[in-house]
Amino acid sequence: MHIDLLSPATFAAGQPLDQYRWLRENDPVHWHEEPRGRGFWAVTRYEDIWTVDRDFQTYSSEPTIMIADPENGGVGGFGPYKMMLMMDPPEHAGFRKLIRSEFTAPSARLRGERIAALARQIVDAVAAKGECDFVADVAGEMPSFVIAELMGLPLEDGRELYKLTEAIHTAPEAQAPGAGGMAVAKMFEYGSALIAEKRARPADDLASKLLAAEVDGRRLEDPEFLLFFLLLVDAGGDTTRNLLAGGLLALMDNPDQLAWLKADLDARLPAAREELLRWTSPVIYMRRTAKHDAELNGAKIRAGDKVVMYFGAANRDPGHFAAPDTLDLAREMEAGHLAFGAGPHVCLGQHIARIEIDAMLREVLTRMDGFELAAEPEWLASNFISGPKSMPLKFRAV
């Protein structure tokens, strides 16, 4: 089996399940060469990933959670400043605390009515047409609008910022030279204008609260705010957008499961949503770096080695899930999937993401029917985020 988890071509039609299967069975902590780097350990079994993601004392999120080492020692040329994703406790806990209250389950539920209204608005815009690009017109709209409202931005700006995240996640070789860096620069340019606006006219929104908050007795510096802003816009859309698009494809491929879900949508949606999260695993990987020598499932990890967790592989591990390659919307997951990660870096926005997913699936599945692809989906050319970039769809309004 030829293993290549770096090329975006490997992920051109979704996750490489055959490679994951071979690795889990034959080499679950696999040394993977890297043409422009020093190589990394690819981890594919559920229990090993659970261990790595929780053991921050051995496996660090610094200097980066990406496979490629950062250039010039920072993100976007910000030198010593770090994104929260690339911190370890206790520093990570201090920054996470700044926004945690906005993303708790109770806070997310308080936004449920507004999120349901946004879902209706989004489907209103396409239902009568009988066709749409499901990613751009439906799946991408919801997280773009929600993060815009959280940050105190116009909804239309949320949509434009979402377009930048696509360029950020697309592999460099699959787009114009420097396109990813340009997208980050535009994101920071928008964020800098937002700093000026919210300092002049603070409001009851997350951007204003971040600018007024203190960590270790000091206010955030502008680069720290900009990295927060990039993280919130970027991560705020990944799971919802790609789950909705990839999840609908899975339901179209499994019409018996779709019919089962629609027969009692409200009661069955929570279990179905978790199974679709397991099935799609929108975030492909996260990297950690070994702080000291360690052993992982027989592999000798050396201090400084890159250790990369493949969540989609863990979520298809037969050692943890019965019949993992069968979509079973009624699946009971006592020990759940890893689509949101585990440990101190477990996805902060998971509660809002679940409410967004439920609201959109409820609107889509009660107001649209007879789904057919108008053309083959185009998948995001990325080895980091998995999901359709474009998904032309025909349907009947209900």
Side-chain angles (χ1 to χ4, degrees), residues 71-84:
E71 296 180 10
N72 306 319
V75 178
F78 276 71
Y81 299 103
K82 294 180 289 187
M83 187 178 284
M84 186 174 67

Side-chain angles (χ1 to χ4, degrees), residues 112 115-116 119-120 142 269 354-364:
I115 289 172
R120 287 191 295 273
M142 171 59 82
L269 189 51
R354 286 183 167 100
I355 291 173
E356 293 174 8
I357 290 163
D358 288 0
M360 284 308 311
L361 286 176
R362 188 175 288 109
E363 288 294 315
V364 167

Side-chain angles (χ1 to χ4, degrees), residues 70-379:
E71 296 180 10
N72 306 319
V75 178
F78 276 71
Y81 299 103
K82 294 180 289 187
M83 187 178 284
M84 186 174 67
L85 273 180
M86 301 173 189
M87 299 175 183
D88 293 326
E91 182 185 25
H92 169 261
F95 277 78
R96 189 174 172 110
K97 186 178 179 181
L98 295 180
I99 58 173
R100 186 176 56 204
S101 64
E102 299 287 330
F103 295 96
T104 63
S107 293
R109 284 194 292 270
L110 289 175
R111 298 184 180 276
E113 192 173 320
R114 175 57 180 156
I115 289 172
L118 286 171
R120 287 191 295 273
Q121 175 184 327
I122 291 164
V123 174
D124 282 347
V126 300
K129 298 177 182 177
E131 60 182 11
C132 68
D133 182 329
F134 190 76
V135 178
D137 299 333
V138 179
E141 293 283 79
M142 171 59 82
S144 304
F145 288 171
V146 170
I147 199 64
E149 290 205 339
L150 270 170
M151 299 294 286
L153 316 177
L155 296 188
E156 180 60 36
D157 287 9
R159 183 185 290 130
E160 293 305 309
L161 290 168
Y162 144 61
K163 293 176 184 176
L164 295 177
T165 69
E166 280 198 336
I168 292 169
H169 286 312
T170 298
E173 59 268 38
Q175 56 186 338
M182 276 286 251
V184 172
K186 288 181 180 178
M187 190 82 77
F188 287 165
E189 182 181 342
Y190 186 99
S192 296
L194 183 64
I195 290 172
E197 165 69 20
K198 296 302 180 183
R199 281 189 176 142
R201 287 172 288 278
D204 185 22
D205 55 52
L206 186 52
S208 300
K209 291 174 184 175
L210 269 175
L211 289 168
E214 292 187 353
V215 60
D216 296 332
R218 64 173 182 83
R219 296 278 180 94
L220 292 182
E221 296 183 41
D222 287 3
E224 291 174 311
F225 175 88
L226 293 175
L227 290 172
F228 244 126
F229 178 67
L230 174 62
L231 172 62
L232 288 165
V233 172
D234 200 10
D238 290 339
T239 300
T240 301
R241 177 169 65 246
N242 295 298
L243 178 283
L244 288 169
L248 184 59
L249 280 175
L251 293 173
M252 291 166 65
D253 287 341
N254 294 270
D256 58 324
Q257 292 292 294
L258 176 57
W260 177 86
L261 174 58
K262 291 177 71 172
D264 192 357
L265 185 60
D266 285 339
R268 294 172 176 177
L269 189 51
R273 171 233 303 144
E274 297 305 310
E275 173 70 347
L276 290 171
L277 282 163
R278 181 192 74 84
W279 187 262
T280 58
S281 297
V283 177
I284 294 170
Y285 76 79
M286 285 283 171
R287 165 190 161 180
R288 300 291 183 257
T289 302
K291 290 183 176 182
H292 53 76
D293 290 357
E295 184 170 314
L296 183 65
N297 203 345
K300 303 293 185 183
I301 311 294
R302 301 300 181 195
D305 281 358
K306 306 178 190 182
V307 180
V308 181
M309 304 173 287
Y310 283 90
F311 299 118
N315 284 335
R316 298 293 185 100
D317 186 346
H320 194 83
F321 300 101
D325 293 322
T326 298
L327 184 71
D328 178 6
L329 299 184
R331 185 186 299 273
E332 295 182 7
M333 277 189 271
E334 292 181 10
H337 58 74
L338 293 176
F340 290 120
H345 282 282
V346 66
C347 177
L348 189 61
Q350 61 176 304
H351 302 300
I352 285 183
R354 286 183 167 100
I355 291 173
E356 293 174 8
I357 290 163
D358 288 0
M360 284 308 311
L361 286 176
R362 188 175 288 109
E363 288 294 315
V364 167
L365 297 181
T366 57
R367 299 180 57 195
M368 302 161 67
D369 199 6
F371 301 106
E372 292 182 18
L373 291 173
E376 282 301 305
E378 177 190 353
W379 287 71

Side-chain angles (χ1 to χ4, degrees), residues 54-76:
R54 293 170 63 84
D55 184 4
F56 63 87
Q57 294 169 322
T58 301
Y59 302 102
S60 174
S61 296
E62 299 181 13
T64 180
I65 49 85
M66 307 300 293
I67 291 174
D69 288 319
E71 296 180 10
N72 306 319
V75 178

